[in-house]
Amino acid sequence: MHRADLGFIGLAVMGQNLVLNMERHGYAVAVYNRTTTRTDEFLERNPGLKLIRAATLAELVDRLARPRIVMIMVQAGPAVDAIIADLLHLLEAGDLVIDGGNSHFKDSDRRAAYIQAQGLDFLGVGVSGGEEGALWGPSIMPGGARAAFVRVEGLLTAISAKAPRDQAPCLAYMGPRGAGHYVKMVHNAIEYGDMQLIAEAYDLLHRGLGLTNAELADTFAEWNEGELDSFLIEITAQIFRAMDPLTNQALIDVVLDKAAQKGTGKWASQDALDLGAPIPTINAAVVGRILSSLKSERIQAADRLPGRADGQWTGDREEGKAAIRDALYASKISAYAQGMALLSTASAEYGYELQLGEIAAIWRGGCIIRARFLEDVMCAYQRDRILPNLLLDPAISAAVGARLPSWRRVVSHAVLMGIPVPALGTSLAYYDSYRTARLPANLIQGQRDLFGAHTYERIDRPGNFHADWSR
Ligand code: ATR
């Protein structure tokens, strides 16, 4: 009997498309899904391919060439543990288990130790690119033992996206244990930041400057030709053009303003707080989604709360648009600086040995945050591998500096108009805090020492001091 190169568990949309991607690159894949009708429908829709049906996990394992490779792509959480527990009864030492779902990095840390202790290999692999990416080439972030990665490097290279400029595969070994899922989590967190920033720019263009949907589509399409060139800006332009077949209005105008979340942004915020790593733009994006979900309260508050705004957008409309574009770009740089700094802190704390330049390189194509800007991020870390903060790179800081007047103008206009810009605002506050040599934290230390004798350090001599503040 012909044996499959790989066994695949979980045939939701991402799983199906990854399987088709592998098959297109010449791999024979045995497929299994808990609900068998899903497997059958998938095979019926895709006849004549090198796909082998498995009705049970035992059948799947039985169909595989040795040493076996099994990839799991199911709902993150207990389902993954349950499948691994079943697989461990069926597999043998030397086999490789890959978790390609959106698992929490701590689960991957735990599973790596547990599976490796049984003599099997484990990889926790972050995959980004949505349905299209899974089919035509995602960005792939594998973590685990390097030797395990080497076993599937050829396969993962084949199915990965290729970066636009140099056609380099959007795949690199990230580091041990949960390193791949950590990087995927931060990828998603940056995606949250990008989306919130773009949404705030939309609000300012629409409510502040009065742009119509057609004008918004043209504006974002134009921005996509310049330094903001990215997947998210491109789809934003597309969204403003879509019409609703039910009402014949612009589709965007009938979409309810409540944003959902699956939790990776929250995970990043939670872990960043644990690590003491500031990622305020991402936090603002997570909170922004939570606030958006309070729709009925917001409707009531809209009637009850005064919001007297002191300003209209003054000045030229084209100038206003350009300023918003600049503020968006500078904020995006600030958000990426926060995300990269989080990666660097986490790498030290968890021993992930992350290479920030390589991470930027493999985000250039395939994934949801793919953007021309990531080429600049990659170059910054090529110039200085241990750059403490992206903002300190000379080219990046010059790019921010050139946009600073617009950035300040846009945030202050927004505040005066009463249009909420939590992400644009806090991105700027992060930048201003980071470049302030003496923050008012001396007062906080004074307060802590006065009420709780927590002591303070001095600027002129070493040691910890406690003062009698009533003197
Ligand atoms: P999506 O939101 O894209 O549908 P998901 O809910 O994250 O994806 O994952 C769905 C996949 O995980 C499906 O393949 C699902 O199997 P079913 O088709 O049988 O529902 C699989 N899955 C979820 N929980 C599972 C479990 N406990 N055991 C096995 N597979 C499970």
Side-chain angles (χ1 to χ4, degrees):
M1 185 179 62
H2 185 71
R3 302 221 172 249
D5 302 302
L6 178 132
F8 201 97
I9 300 169
L11 296 173
V13 182
M14 287 289 285
Q16 292 190 15
N17 283 355
L18 267 187
V19 167
L20 294 175
N21 187 348
M22 290 173 185
E23 200 278 342
R24 201 174 63 246
H25 284 94
Y27 293 89
V29 186
V31 292
Y32 165 83
N33 191 72
R34 177 182 59 179
T35 309
T36 316
T37 48
R38 209 169 200 173
T39 313
D40 292 332
E41 283 162 15
F42 172 58
L43 292 172
E44 271 164 36
R45 269 198 314 279
N46 298 282
L49 303 182
K50 295 180 294 298
L51 301 177
I52 299 169
R53 177 183 186 275
T56 63
L57 279 181
E59 212 177 297
L60 182 86
V61 168
D62 192 46
R63 298 281 184 275
L64 303 180
R66 289 191 162 120
R68 305 179 188 90
I69 302 171
V70 179
M71 182 154 178
I72 306 168
M73 193 99 178
V74 301
Q75 202 168 38
V80 179
D81 284 312
I83 289 169
I84 288 174
D86 288 345
L87 279 176
L88 286 177
H89 289 115
L90 300 165
L91 298 173
E92 58 195 11
D95 291 345
L96 166 61
V97 177
I98 303 173
D99 174 16
N102 262 329
S103 292
H104 194 281
F105 70 96
K106 285 192 173 155
D107 286 335
S108 297
D109 277 349
R110 172 176 57 77
R111 291 170 188 146
Y114 167 63
I115 292 172
Q116 284 162 10
Q118 320 237 351
L120 283 80
D121 277 334
F122 172 78
L123 288 175
V125 179
V127 179
S128 173
E131 292 175 30
E132 284 288 300
L135 183 58
W136 298 110
S139 177
I140 306 179
M141 298 150 252
R146 190 184 279 276
F149 166 69
V150 169
R151 288 177 61 181
V152 285
E153 188 172 1
L155 164 76
L156 296 181
T157 303
I159 65 165
S160 68
K162 308 298 175 282
R165 186 181 54 77
D166 52 15
Q167 297 300 304
C170 294
L171 160 80
Y173 173 67
M174 296 286 98
R177 297 168 278 110
H181 279 132
Y182 199 92
V183 174
K184 173 70 199 302
M185 177 184 80
V186 175
H187 164 283
N188 285 20
I190 290 175
E191 176 186 317
Y192 271 59
D194 264 348
M195 291 168 75
Q196 176 70 25
L197 288 168
I198 295 170
E200 291 174 14
Y202 153 53
D203 210 7
L204 289 172
L205 291 167
H206 181 55
R207 286 203 287 159
L209 287 179
L211 265 65
T212 62
N213 287 319
E215 289 169 329
L216 286 163
D218 290 345
T219 301
F220 281 100
E222 186 191 311
W223 290 1
N224 199 42
E225 301 296 314
E227 72 272 26
L228 281 167
D229 173 2
S230 60
F231 172 71
L232 284 170
I233 295 285
E234 181 192 331
I235 63 166
T236 299
Q238 186 186 334
I239 286 167
F240 287 119
R241 293 214 166 88
M243 297 302 289
D244 173 34
L246 290 177
T247 61
N248 249 342
Q249 305 181 54
L251 185 51
I252 188 73
D253 292 332
V254 296
V255 175
L256 185 65
D257 54 326
K258 274 167 84 167
Q261 48 184 326
K262 278 194 167 175
T264 32
K266 180 183 77 177
W267 288 351
S269 290
Q270 285 172 327
D271 192 57
L273 288 175
D274 286 343
L275 292 175
I279 53 164
T281 307
I282 291 154
N283 297 341
V286 175
V287 172
R289 291 198 192 188
I290 297 170
L291 264 166
S292 82
S293 71
L294 305 180
K295 175 75 175 175
S296 53
E297 276 183 60
R298 287 191 287 115
I299 290 173
Q300 287 181 18
D303 279 340
R304 291 210 213 151
L305 298 185
R308 199 179 79 84
D310 285 330
Q312 285 290 317
W313 196 292
T314 50
D316 182 70
R317 211 162 170 246
E318 286 307 310
E319 223 173 63
K321 272 166 54 178
I324 294 168
R325 180 199 61 213
D326 286 353
L328 176 57
Y329 187 63
S331 296
K332 181 185 170 90
I333 294 176
S334 174
Y336 279 63
Q338 297 162 33
M340 298 314 271
L342 170 61
L343 285 174
S344 158
T345 305
S347 182
E349 178 69 21
Y350 302 128
Y352 283 155
E353 300 155 34
L354 301 176
Q355 304 295 321
L356 301 193
E358 282 202 345
I359 293 170
I362 67 163
W363 286 348
R364 290 178 303 156
C367 62
I368 303 296
I369 65 168
R370 63 186 183 262
R372 187 193 295 184
F373 167 64
L374 279 160
E375 189 82 24
D376 301 337
V377 179
M378 180 186 83
C379 291
Y381 287 104
Q382 281 172 349
R383 280 188 285 272
D384 181 355
R385 230 171 45 81
I386 52 164
L387 190 63
N389 189 296
L390 184 62
L391 291 168
L392 295 171
D393 174 75
I396 299 281
S397 77
V400 174
R403 289 164 180 85
L404 203 46
S406 297
W407 201 6
R408 296 201 189 290
R409 204 163 66 244
V410 167
V411 171
S412 44
H413 261 72
V415 172
L416 290 173
M417 288 188 296
I419 294 178
V421 286
L424 288 165
T426 204
S427 301
L428 177 56
Y430 174 83
Y431 176 78
D432 277 332
S433 297
Y434 192 68
R435 60 163 202 88
T436 298
R438 184 163 169 82
L439 285 168
N442 50 334
L443 175 60
I444 293 169
Q445 283 303 83
Q447 290 165 334
R448 293 180 72 242
D449 189 53
L450 184 151
F451 68 65
H454 292 299
T455 75
Y456 60 93
E457 291 175 274
R458 298 178 57 95
I459 58 170
D460 56 357
R461 64 199 69 189
N464 293 303
F465 297 84
H466 172 53
D468 175 1
W469 292 90
S470 64
R471 269 193 307 170

